[in-house]
mmCIF file of all heavy atoms in Angstrom:
data_model
loop_
_atom_site.group_PDB
_atom_site.id
_atom_site.type_symbol
_atom_site.label_atom_id
_atom_site.label_comp_id
_atom_site.label_asym_id
_atom_site.label_seq_id
_atom_site.Cartn_x
_atom_site.Cartn_y
_atom_site.Cartn_z
ATOM 1 N N GLN A 1729 -43.960 29.983 32.813
ATOM 2 C CA GLN A 1729 -45.078 29.297 32.156
ATOM 3 C C GLN A 1729 -45.043 29.385 30.673
ATOM 4 O O GLN A 1729 -45.931 28.827 29.955
ATOM 5 C CB GLN A 1729 -46.376 29.861 32.700
ATOM 6 C CG GLN A 1729 -46.583 29.682 34.212
ATOM 7 C CD GLN A 1729 -48.020 29.901 34.648
ATOM 8 O OE1 GLN A 1729 -48.943 29.352 34.073
ATOM 9 N NE2 GLN A 1729 -48.166 30.658 35.726
ATOM 10 N N PHE A 1730 -44.080 30.160 30.136
ATOM 11 C CA PHE A 1730 -43.939 30.346 28.694
ATOM 12 C C PHE A 1730 -42.642 29.651 28.221
ATOM 13 O O PHE A 1730 -41.556 30.155 28.494
ATOM 14 C CB PHE A 1730 -43.961 31.828 28.281
ATOM 15 C CG PHE A 1730 -45.238 32.497 28.630
ATOM 16 C CD1 PHE A 1730 -45.425 33.097 29.882
ATOM 17 C CD2 PHE A 1730 -46.214 32.614 27.641
ATOM 18 C CE1 PHE A 1730 -46.588 33.762 30.133
ATOM 19 C CE2 PHE A 1730 -47.408 33.257 27.947
ATOM 20 C CZ PHE A 1730 -47.601 33.815 29.183
ATOM 21 N N GLN A 1731 -42.786 28.519 27.569
ATOM 22 C CA GLN A 1731 -41.635 27.764 27.075
ATOM 23 C C GLN A 1731 -41.678 27.702 25.545
ATOM 24 O O GLN A 1731 -42.776 27.426 24.983
ATOM 25 C CB GLN A 1731 -41.607 26.328 27.647
ATOM 26 C CG GLN A 1731 -41.494 26.323 29.150
ATOM 27 C CD GLN A 1731 -40.191 26.861 29.650
ATOM 28 O OE1 GLN A 1731 -39.143 26.743 29.014
ATOM 29 N NE2 GLN A 1731 -40.208 27.517 30.837
ATOM 30 N N PRO A 1732 -40.535 27.946 24.857
ATOM 31 C CA PRO A 1732 -40.580 27.852 23.381
ATOM 32 C C PRO A 1732 -41.168 26.500 22.925
ATOM 33 O O PRO A 1732 -40.806 25.454 23.442
ATOM 34 C CB PRO A 1732 -39.066 27.961 23.046
ATOM 35 C CG PRO A 1732 -38.525 28.761 24.144
ATOM 36 C CD PRO A 1732 -39.243 28.355 25.392
ATOM 37 N N GLY A 1733 -42.061 26.547 21.966
ATOM 38 C CA GLY A 1733 -42.767 25.397 21.470
ATOM 39 C C GLY A 1733 -44.036 25.062 22.239
ATOM 40 O O GLY A 1733 -44.840 24.209 21.791
ATOM 41 N N GLY A 1734 -44.301 25.775 23.386
ATOM 42 C CA GLY A 1734 -45.490 25.543 24.140
ATOM 43 C C GLY A 1734 -46.756 26.056 23.399
ATOM 44 O O GLY A 1734 -46.667 26.965 22.567
ATOM 45 N N LYS A 1735 -47.876 25.469 23.707
ATOM 46 C CA LYS A 1735 -49.151 25.773 23.064
ATOM 47 C C LYS A 1735 -49.925 26.761 23.923
ATOM 48 O O LYS A 1735 -50.004 26.629 25.143
ATOM 49 C CB LYS A 1735 -49.950 24.545 22.793
ATOM 50 C CG LYS A 1735 -49.262 23.520 21.907
ATOM 51 C CD LYS A 1735 -48.937 24.054 20.542
ATOM 52 C CE LYS A 1735 -48.279 23.033 19.668
ATOM 53 N NZ LYS A 1735 -47.952 23.578 18.361
ATOM 54 N N VAL A 1736 -50.537 27.766 23.262
ATOM 55 C CA VAL A 1736 -51.401 28.734 23.934
ATOM 56 C C VAL A 1736 -52.631 28.963 23.075
ATOM 57 O O VAL A 1736 -52.733 28.502 21.945
ATOM 58 C CB VAL A 1736 -50.629 30.048 24.125
ATOM 59 C CG1 VAL A 1736 -49.376 29.851 24.999
ATOM 60 C CG2 VAL A 1736 -50.270 30.690 22.861
ATOM 61 N N THR A 1737 -53.572 29.701 23.666
ATOM 62 C CA THR A 1737 -54.743 30.126 22.918
ATOM 63 C C THR A 1737 -54.772 31.694 22.874
ATOM 64 O O THR A 1737 -54.563 32.292 23.932
ATOM 65 C CB THR A 1737 -56.058 29.629 23.579
ATOM 66 O OG1 THR A 1737 -56.039 28.201 23.610
ATOM 67 C CG2 THR A 1737 -57.264 30.091 22.788
ATOM 68 N N PRO A 1747 -55.425 28.854 18.064
ATOM 69 C CA PRO A 1747 -54.286 28.169 18.681
ATOM 70 C C PRO A 1747 -52.995 28.908 18.271
ATOM 71 O O PRO A 1747 -52.872 29.414 17.170
ATOM 72 C CB PRO A 1747 -54.331 26.749 18.067
ATOM 73 C CG PRO A 1747 -55.710 26.640 17.454
ATOM 74 C CD PRO A 1747 -56.135 28.001 17.048
ATOM 75 N N GLY A 1748 -52.051 28.880 19.197
ATOM 76 C CA GLY A 1748 -50.739 29.491 18.890
ATOM 77 C C GLY A 1748 -49.608 28.716 19.517
ATOM 78 O O GLY A 1748 -49.833 27.888 20.383
ATOM 79 N N THR A 1749 -48.410 28.935 19.009
ATOM 80 C CA THR A 1749 -47.223 28.300 19.480
ATOM 81 C C THR A 1749 -46.218 29.327 19.922
ATOM 82 O O THR A 1749 -45.933 30.252 19.187
ATOM 83 C CB THR A 1749 -46.579 27.340 18.399
ATOM 84 O OG1 THR A 1749 -47.557 26.418 17.966
ATOM 85 C CG2 THR A 1749 -45.373 26.614 18.947
ATOM 86 N N ILE A 1750 -45.654 29.177 21.122
ATOM 87 C CA ILE A 1750 -44.637 30.117 21.582
ATOM 88 C C ILE A 1750 -43.422 29.960 20.743
ATOM 89 O O ILE A 1750 -42.797 28.889 20.676
ATOM 90 C CB ILE A 1750 -44.352 29.858 23.070
ATOM 91 C CG1 ILE A 1750 -45.627 30.085 23.925
ATOM 92 C CG2 ILE A 1750 -43.202 30.790 23.544
ATOM 93 C CD1 ILE A 1750 -45.441 29.638 25.359
ATOM 94 N N ARG A 1751 -43.028 31.073 20.045
ATOM 95 C CA ARG A 1751 -41.893 30.997 19.115
ATOM 96 C C ARG A 1751 -40.617 31.451 19.816
ATOM 97 O O ARG A 1751 -39.574 30.723 19.762
ATOM 98 C CB ARG A 1751 -42.173 31.948 17.923
ATOM 99 C CG ARG A 1751 -40.998 31.945 16.922
ATOM 100 C CD ARG A 1751 -41.220 32.965 15.847
ATOM 101 N NE ARG A 1751 -42.364 32.606 14.963
ATOM 102 C CZ ARG A 1751 -42.872 33.405 14.044
ATOM 103 N NH1 ARG A 1751 -42.324 34.608 13.845
ATOM 104 N NH2 ARG A 1751 -43.816 32.991 13.256
ATOM 105 N N LEU A 1753 -38.670 33.792 23.265
ATOM 106 C CA LEU A 1753 -38.655 34.614 24.445
ATOM 107 C C LEU A 1753 -37.414 35.518 24.352
ATOM 108 O O LEU A 1753 -36.322 35.056 24.356
ATOM 109 C CB LEU A 1753 -38.591 33.758 25.769
ATOM 110 C CG LEU A 1753 -39.857 33.222 26.363
ATOM 111 C CD1 LEU A 1753 -40.413 32.143 25.462
ATOM 112 C CD2 LEU A 1753 -39.539 32.724 27.745
ATOM 113 N N ASN A 1764 -37.122 28.906 18.854
ATOM 114 C CA ASN A 1764 -36.880 27.990 17.784
ATOM 115 C C ASN A 1764 -36.969 28.746 16.451
ATOM 116 O O ASN A 1764 -37.609 28.295 15.543
ATOM 117 C CB ASN A 1764 -37.874 26.835 17.840
ATOM 118 C CG ASN A 1764 -39.311 27.330 17.928
ATOM 119 O OD1 ASN A 1764 -39.553 28.526 17.940
ATOM 120 N ND2 ASN A 1764 -40.269 26.416 17.929
ATOM 121 N N VAL A 1781 -42.580 37.835 24.934
ATOM 122 C CA VAL A 1781 -42.941 36.498 24.385
ATOM 123 C C VAL A 1781 -43.580 36.742 23.021
ATOM 124 O O VAL A 1781 -44.515 37.544 22.899
ATOM 125 C CB VAL A 1781 -43.910 35.738 25.323
ATOM 126 C CG1 VAL A 1781 -44.287 34.420 24.678
ATOM 127 C CG2 VAL A 1781 -43.290 35.568 26.682
ATOM 128 N N THR A 1782 -43.104 36.025 22.020
ATOM 129 C CA THR A 1782 -43.645 36.096 20.672
ATOM 130 C C THR A 1782 -44.335 34.785 20.334
ATOM 131 O O THR A 1782 -43.696 33.733 20.481
ATOM 132 C CB THR A 1782 -42.550 36.434 19.624
ATOM 133 O OG1 THR A 1782 -42.008 37.717 19.945
ATOM 134 C CG2 THR A 1782 -43.171 36.513 18.257
ATOM 135 N N ILE A 1783 -45.547 34.823 19.814
ATOM 136 C CA ILE A 1783 -46.373 33.684 19.612
ATOM 137 C C ILE A 1783 -46.814 33.587 18.160
ATOM 138 O O ILE A 1783 -47.392 34.564 17.631
ATOM 139 C CB ILE A 1783 -47.613 33.671 20.531
ATOM 140 C CG1 ILE A 1783 -47.202 33.656 21.985
ATOM 141 C CG2 ILE A 1783 -48.547 32.503 20.205
ATOM 142 C CD1 ILE A 1783 -48.297 34.024 22.933
ATOM 143 N N ALA A 1784 -46.480 32.499 17.457
ATOM 144 C CA ALA A 1784 -46.946 32.299 16.118
ATOM 145 C C ALA A 1784 -48.370 31.766 16.102
ATOM 146 O O ALA A 1784 -48.722 30.886 16.962
ATOM 147 C CB ALA A 1784 -46.041 31.294 15.393
ATOM 148 N N VAL A 1803 -52.504 30.627 28.670
ATOM 149 C CA VAL A 1803 -51.635 29.424 28.742
ATOM 150 C C VAL A 1803 -52.436 28.400 29.559
ATOM 151 O O VAL A 1803 -52.693 28.595 30.773
ATOM 152 C CB VAL A 1803 -50.298 29.741 29.489
ATOM 153 C CG1 VAL A 1803 -49.422 28.479 29.522
ATOM 154 C CG2 VAL A 1803 -49.595 30.871 28.768
#
Side-chain angles (χ1 to χ4, degrees):
Q1729 298 195 48
F1730 295 88
Q1731 298 297 326
K1735 301 299 182 181
V1736 300
T1737 300
T1749 303
I1750 299 171
R1751 180 186 290 175
L1753 275 71
N1764 52 0
V1781 179
T1782 299
I1783 299 164
V1803 183

